[in-house]
Amino acid sequence: MWEILNIIGTIAFALSGVLVALEERYDLMGVYILGFITAFGGGAIRNLLIGIPVTELWNQGALFTLAFLVMTLAFFFPNILNWTLQKRGVFFDAIGLGTFSAQGALFAASMGLPISAAIAAAALTGAGGGMVRDVLAGRKPMFLHKEIYIAWTLIPGLLIGSGLVTSDIGAFLIVSAVVLLRLGSVQKQWHLPYQSFQPLTK
């Protein structure tokens, strides 16, 4: 389960980073930087949060190679990305959000950390890479102003962190639910409540 979620999430977020880079007309090096940041940035932030050495990321040589190959293919043959369901890589981003948030929660649970740590690990692993990607691309981070995004990571954080879901099938169902809910929130334009504030002028 761990390896499957890693592979799916890495491919999805790497492609999400490529799509943003292509929209911003970045060169090949920019595509690689944005893709790697999107695919591995969330894991790096999570490791810092829960006390795992960041150097653990460098033990994922196979995933780095996989991400490199996927990004190279997508850069030179961008037409293969035309089947995405939404603009701006929302389809890939939703898959990455679901798989990496579940992976983050599983990571925290496997270390015996409390449910609060599982929730935080799910949120940061799922949304951290996309946040850094958007900042580097000069965009407002998606989870701050778009349709419901980071709130969906509460599902794996709560269910896995509390021990209610421990099986592989249960984890896959959670991933599927987060992906579908994220796509549904874009399609239906669901938003959390928000307020605007206009300061008084003298």
Side-chain angles (χ1 to χ4, degrees), residues 82-129:
N82 285 338
W83 58 275
T84 54
L85 298 182
Q86 304 287 343
K87 293 181 179 180
R88 300 188 184 280
V90 172
F91 179 67
F92 292 130
D93 208 76
I95 295 175
L97 182 71
T99 54
F100 272 16
S101 61
Q103 186 219 51
L106 286 168
F107 209 126
S110 70
M111 296 178 64
L113 297 175
I115 187 172
S116 58
I119 293 172
L124 289 175
T125 311

Side-chain angles (χ1 to χ4, degrees), residues 64-86:
F64 277 98
T65 301
L66 176 63
F68 175 79
L69 293 175
V70 167
M71 289 185 291
T72 302
L73 186 65
F75 179 82
F76 287 105
F77 303 98
N79 287 336
I80 67 174
L81 303 177
N82 285 338
W83 58 275
T84 54
L85 298 182
Q86 304 287 343

